[in-house]
Amino acid sequence: MTSPHPTFSCHISGFSGALSSGNPLWHTPLAGTSTPEHDFSSSGVTIGDYFESVTTFLLQGRPGPLKQGLAFHLHREVALEELENIAVFLEKHGAFYHPARVEVKLNANPTVLTFALNAAISDRGLALISTEYHCLEKLLPCPSLGSPLPAVFGLGKTSCQNGDIAFFLAHWFKDYQEFHITDSQEGTEHIALWQSDGSTVKMPRSYFFTIHDKAAEILTSFYTPHTFEQIFPWHHAAGDFIVKETNGSMDVKLITVRGYGALFDIDKPPEKRNMEDIFQGLVLFLVNLSLRMRIDRINGTGRYHLVHSDAIKATLTGFFRALGHKTINGCSHDDLQKKFCEFLVQFDSADFKHILTLILNAHPHPEMEEKLIQKKLDSHAKDLYHAICAMGKN
């Protein structure tokens, strides 16, 4: 006879076997050792609290988050009786979230469906998680499996003996991996793909510039020209983008949207902004994108590093490809790209440096990142100018 309720098993990635209340880890604080940088707060939430709260969250509501996720994959409603087993794997501890992988096995179905579960217990995480969920909902009103952003299936908060835990369930991008710069010498950088077991695989340096191209395309595709709204903040060091090798290239996804809004504004409502206003906003977006796309940290947590200026060309390629899919004030595709190029070539390297300085003053970076940027600001502005000039000749 089929059980009316699925069985749950709890796991920590990297540890064999399932975890239960009899294991000492069950009573270990979820956050581990707190650091000011990660702001894990003084929450006393334990690993056991985490897993017990997960089981409550996944099935709460009508339909519950898990049922919403299953319907997304299977294109039909799924009854609770159809679920055989739910395995939850605590993946890691991040600056804001404690993400897990949720694997669901259905009766009479050999396919295991996988989801991402983000959980927040710190003050910063609890403040962010609702904003991120609603940003993803706004940007993906009709999500599909091919989307560069994850579909989301439910947001909620549970209270346990030691504190509150907020969750949201999302689509899991199977076989996609986090990546980071490994070698620190400019011009010889490589990227390493991080495997689920903690090991890394070094990839050809050329792949990194493919990632820049496609990441720039994603961010530009979600940029709204009339309002200047964009996905921000984002950072390579935080693992915001993940990748998968496909047919000798790299496919790229963006797994987090911490905010969506205008970084700058003008004293004119969006409906009255003309093409010059819109192009000025695009220049600010592109110049900022060109710099931020080059910034990573060695192995994700080491010193800040600005990758080779070849990344600028890749960023421009991705930006213009996405721009070619937009329609602005009746101007679309090739004509839009042509007109923006004509507008862009009015700027020289001194203008780009001035724009970057304005952006940095308005949106400060962490101290060590700021020092790197200030050191490289002049050369980046010149490299951006030369890359745009070279693009115009092609």
Side-chain angles (χ1 to χ4, degrees):
M1 179 180 292
T2 301
S3 171
H5 297 286
T7 60
F8 275 87
S9 60
C10 306
H11 310 260
I12 297 178
S13 290
F15 290 83
S16 60
L19 201 64
S20 67
S21 59
N23 190 307
L25 283 175
W26 191 264
H27 308 284
T28 301
L30 176 64
T33 302
S34 298
T35 66
E37 180 182 0
H38 284 174
D39 183 29
F40 284 131
S41 181
S42 57
S43 173
V45 173
T46 65
I47 289 175
D49 292 331
Y50 177 91
F51 283 122
E52 289 173 353
S53 297
V54 167
T55 60
T56 300
F57 165 74
L58 289 176
L59 300 179
Q60 72 182 6
R62 294 187 178 182
L66 189 56
K67 284 190 173 183
Q68 293 183 53
L70 292 169
F72 171 78
H73 278 283
L74 300 175
H75 308 291
R76 65 175 179 84
E77 291 188 9
V78 177
L80 189 63
E81 294 76 13
E82 295 183 66
L83 308 185
E84 180 179 319
N85 176 260
I86 301 171
V88 182
F89 296 81
L90 178 57
E91 289 288 332
K92 65 178 184 177
H93 304 293
F96 303 104
Y97 299 144
H98 302 267
R101 183 177 81 256
V102 179
E103 296 184 350
V104 182
K105 174 69 171 62
L106 277 69
N107 297 315
N109 190 332
T111 302
V112 174
L113 299 176
T114 307
F115 301 90
L117 180 72
N118 284 318
I121 64 170
S122 71
D123 293 339
R124 290 171 66 192
L126 290 168
L128 172 67
I129 196 166
S130 178
T131 297
E132 175 161 2
Y133 182 85
H134 292 301
C135 283
L136 287 167
E137 270 195 322
K138 175 181 179 178
L139 295 175
L140 284 183
C142 300
S144 68
L145 288 173
S147 169
L149 299 180
V152 291
F153 311 118
L155 170 72
K157 182 185 289 186
T158 65
S159 296
C160 57
Q161 182 177 354
N162 296 304
D164 294 331
I165 311 179
F167 296 99
F168 75 76
L169 191 69
H171 175 56
W172 177 273
F173 291 117
K174 186 178 180 181
D175 298 327
Y176 284 78
Q177 298 164 301
E178 192 172 327
F179 63 92
H180 292 293
I181 285 286
T182 54
D183 298 335
S184 60
Q185 293 299 313
E186 184 174 337
T188 63
E189 301 105 333
H190 288 273
I191 60 169
L193 298 183
W194 290 27
Q195 311 299 302
S196 58
D197 62 2
S199 64
T200 60
V201 176
K202 186 175 286 189
M203 302 299 290
R205 181 170 172 267
S206 61
Y207 279 7
F208 195 75
F209 303 118
T210 301
I211 294 171
H212 279 87
D213 176 329
K214 295 185 177 182
E217 181 181 13
I218 291 170
L219 292 168
T220 306
S221 69
F222 288 103
Y223 175 76
T224 304
H226 285 86
T227 63
F228 310 151
E229 290 176 297
Q230 58 193 275
I231 294 172
F232 191 86
W234 58 271
H235 207 298
H236 287 308
D240 293 350
F241 289 96
I242 56 174
V243 299
K244 176 183 178 181
E245 187 176 9
T246 306
N247 299 323
S249 185
M250 303 298 287
D251 190 39
V252 180
K253 305 289 187 183
L254 176 62
I255 59 172
T256 181
V257 178
R258 298 189 197 93
Y260 188 77
L263 298 190
F264 301 93
D265 213 341
I266 59 175
D267 189 20
K268 188 185 293 186
E271 64 273 13
K272 292 188 177 181
R273 292 171 184 170
N274 57 31
M275 193 63 84
E276 183 171 350
D277 299 328
I278 290 169
F279 280 176
Q280 287 176 349
L282 271 172
V283 170
L284 290 171
F285 172 78
L286 176 59
V287 171
N288 190 39
L289 181 69
S290 72
L291 176 64
R292 293 193 61 82
M293 197 60 69
R294 296 179 65 188
I295 302 172
D296 197 356
R297 298 180 71 170
I298 303 301
N299 296 320
T301 58
R303 68 178 181 84
Y304 288 96
H305 178 72
L306 200 71
V307 302
H308 193 272
S309 58
D310 284 353
I312 298 174
K313 178 182 178 181
T315 299
L316 289 171
T317 301
F319 168 85
F320 276 100
R321 187 165 57 250
L323 187 64
H325 292 286
K326 294 183 181 292
T327 299
I328 303 174
N329 288 1
C331 183
S332 62
H333 307 305
D334 292 343
D335 193 34
L336 175 62
Q337 291 176 318
K338 179 182 177 182
K339 288 184 177 180
F340 182 65
C341 282
E342 292 171 351
F343 184 85
L344 190 59
V345 295
Q346 301 175 55
F347 298 85
D348 60 20
S349 60
D351 295 322
F352 291 140
K353 183 178 180 180
H354 178 66
I355 291 170
L356 286 168
T357 300
L358 291 175
I359 293 171
L360 293 171
N361 289 339
H363 302 279
H365 293 64
E367 182 181 358
M368 297 309 295
E369 184 174 357
E370 185 81 23
K371 287 182 178 180
L372 171 67
I373 292 172
Q374 292 297 341
K375 181 181 178 181
K376 300 287 188 177
L377 198 60
D378 188 65
S379 63
H380 176 79
K382 291 177 180 176
D383 289 335
L384 176 58
Y385 172 71
H386 292 308
I388 290 171
C389 290
M391 178 190 63
K393 294 176 182 178
N394 294 332

